[in-house]
């Protein structure tokens, strides 16, 4: 799969394509309905599928105070698009210059001149161009003039249409199961493990800490989940490890303000055996959330905290066993 980081990166001799356009944040089941139809049409026409997405999210540029937390950073998003049947991805660096393009200018630059589209497939609620004046009807009309067809696909869902906003709402409530239903997979956070204050190590529960830094994460609390290393060539690459996850700022200890995802890898050694030290610092990891155990609690002391952590670890084992 090619990932083009700007229109200038797209080969000038690119053959005709079938294009789909959207933010695709999360690549949830609603997106996958659009991607499925795009793949079907591309196979009928004998063309490659190119997905067009934007980085950063347009709202982060136009209304930064209202920008949503990102469900998937762009590298993960591209990988998910590939898994959903996309051949190539064009990531358009979104800025105020791009925001000022009229709908007709956007179509000409991206769809016609850049990607040589024979067909375009988008969600039925797709809007584009300056002040979001473009819609599916306009896309069809411009396509009729410039040599491509256009389709608008209704997003899938039950009573609730699957959307990135719906996933964020589930996460804000700690409902990781609801988020997983809409995504078609467990929700996950991807990031590099950083060195924290190492308080967990001192307490006997060393954790891999991943800062959120604007990425969406479930509501503060404790969760059961799994972790894997993503770094190419790493001995642990691709191996899923069971983890108890804490999301929040550790209210039991004063002075901590940064929200983060802390994962404690459950011991695998038999009772009485030494557990090997697992060093995850500086590795890029994916942390998936399987189930919520409890909300965040401020404990009166370390002993009370340790007692609760032991119960959390045991509950994590039970929940992950049930998922097998």
């Amino acid at each position: 799969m090619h990932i083009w980081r700007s229109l200038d990166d797209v080969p000038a001799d690119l053959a005709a394509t079938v294009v789909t356009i959207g933010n695709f944040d999360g690549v949830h089941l609603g997106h996958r309905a659009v991607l499925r139809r795009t793949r079907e049409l591309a196979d009928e026409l004998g063309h490659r599928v190119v997905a067009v997405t934007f980085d950063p999210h347009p709202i982060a540029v136009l209304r930064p105070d209202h920008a949503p937390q990102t469900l998937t950073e762009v590298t993960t998003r591209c990988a998910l698009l590939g898994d959903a049947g996309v051949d190539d991805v064009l990531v358009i660096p979104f800025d105020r210059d791009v925001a000022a393009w009229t709908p007709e200018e956007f179509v000409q630059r991206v769809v016609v001149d850049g990607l040589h589209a024979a067909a375009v497939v988008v969600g039925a609620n797709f809007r584009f161009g300056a002040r979001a004046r473009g819609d599916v009807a306009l896309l069809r009309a411009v396509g009729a003039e410039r040599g491509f067809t256009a389709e608008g696909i209704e997003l899938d869902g039950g009573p609730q249409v699957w959307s990135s906003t719906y996933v964020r709402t589930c996460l804000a409530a700690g409902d990781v199961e609801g988020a997983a239903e809409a995504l078609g997979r467990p929700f996950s956070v991807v990031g590099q493990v950083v060195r924290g204050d190492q308080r967990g190590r001192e307490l006997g529960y060393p954790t891999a800490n991943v800062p959120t830094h604007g990425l969406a994460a479930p509501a503060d609390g404790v969760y059961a989940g799994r972790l894997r290393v993503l770094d190419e060539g790493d001995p642990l690459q691709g191996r899923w490890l069971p983890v108890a996850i804490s999301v929040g700022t550790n209210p039991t200890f004063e002075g901590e303000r940064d929200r983060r995802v802390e994962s404690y890898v459950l011991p695998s050694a038999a009772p009485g055996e030494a557990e090997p030290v697992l060093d995850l610092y500086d590795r890029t990891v994916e942390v998936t959330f399987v189930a919520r155990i409890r909300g965040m609690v401020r404990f009166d002391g370390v002993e009370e905290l340790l007692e609760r952590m032991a119960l959390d670890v045991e509950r994590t084992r039970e929940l992950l066993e049930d998922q097998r």
Side-chain angles (χ1 to χ4, degrees):
M1 181 174 71
H2 299 100
I3 300 175
W4 300 308
R5 297 287 178 161
S6 73
L7 278 168
D8 292 338
D9 292 341
V10 179
D13 61 352
L14 182 70
T17 65
V18 175
V19 173
T20 183
I21 311 168
N23 289 312
F24 295 115
D25 191 17
V27 193
H28 52 66
L29 294 182
H31 294 141
R32 287 177 182 266
V34 176
L35 295 168
R36 189 163 53 249
R37 173 54 188 156
T38 309
R39 180 75 266 170
E40 290 173 355
L41 185 55
D43 289 343
E44 291 173 11
L45 297 175
H47 300 324
R48 293 175 69 84
V49 171
V50 178
V52 178
T53 188
F54 307 91
D55 186 44
H57 194 291
I59 296 178
V61 173
L62 299 175
R63 301 179 66 195
D65 292 343
H66 295 81
Q69 291 183 315
T70 304
L71 297 173
T72 47
E73 47 77 38
V74 70
T75 301
T76 301
R77 196 187 322 162
C78 290
L80 290 169
L81 288 168
D83 291 342
V86 169
D87 295 307
D88 306 300
V89 180
L90 169 59
V91 181
I92 294 180
F94 194 87
D95 56 22
R96 290 199 171 270
D97 287 340
V98 174
W101 292 353
T102 66
E104 294 79 5
E105 186 178 7
F106 178 89
V107 171
Q108 188 65 46
R109 287 182 181 231
V110 177
V111 176
V112 178
D113 295 340
L115 299 177
H116 310 153
V120 179
V121 181
V122 294
N125 61 348
F126 176 64
R127 308 288 298 196
F128 65 101
R131 299 183 180 178
R133 287 196 302 106
D135 57 13
V136 175
L138 179 59
L139 189 62
R140 286 196 187 101
V142 176
E145 296 174 356
R146 304 187 188 179
F148 64 86
T149 63
E151 296 183 22
I153 306 299
E154 294 294 337
L155 300 185
D156 273 352
Q160 169 66 54
V161 172
W162 305 136
S163 69
S164 301
T165 299
Y166 175 72
V167 175
R168 293 187 191 97
T169 299
C170 288
L171 294 176
D175 182 10
V176 293
E177 291 92 341
E181 182 184 13
L183 290 167
R185 65 183 188 282
F187 173 75
S188 65
V189 169
V190 174
Q192 188 175 54
V193 177
V194 301
R195 294 182 182 273
D197 50 31
Q198 298 192 323
R199 184 174 285 116
R201 188 175 297 273
E202 295 171 1
L203 297 174
Y205 291 92
T207 58
N209 301 332
V210 177
T212 56
H213 290 329
L215 289 173
D220 289 4
V222 177
Y223 299 82
R226 295 185 176 87
L227 175 151
R228 66 173 175 174
V229 174
L230 299 180
D231 297 313
E232 290 289 338
D234 191 285
L236 292 173
Q237 183 188 4
R239 176 185 167 195
W240 284 108
L241 303 171
V243 290
I245 309 164
S246 172
V247 180
T249 58
N250 289 328
T252 300
F253 300 99
E254 298 293 338
E256 298 189 4
R257 294 291 181 266
D258 293 335
R259 193 163 186 261
R260 56 196 176 186
V261 173
E262 302 181 67
S263 302
Y264 168 65
V265 179
L266 272 57
S268 58
E273 294 182 2
E275 182 70 17
V277 176
L278 187 61
D279 183 1
L280 294 173
Y281 291 131
D282 300 323
R283 287 167 160 157
T284 300
V285 299
E286 178 182 9
V287 181
T288 67
F289 294 79
V290 173
R292 182 176 171 90
I293 294 175
R294 63 174 173 86
M296 191 58 71
V297 177
R298 181 186 178 91
F299 295 97
D300 293 331
V302 172
E303 290 302 319
E304 185 180 351
L305 170 63
L306 288 172
E307 290 176 6
R308 183 66 224 210
M309 290 171 72
L311 293 174
D312 293 338
V313 168
E314 185 57 33
R315 182 58 179 150
T316 296
R317 286 192 189 279
E318 294 172 357
L319 289 167
L320 295 180
E321 284 291 331
D322 291 343
Q323 289 287 325
R324 287 187 175 180

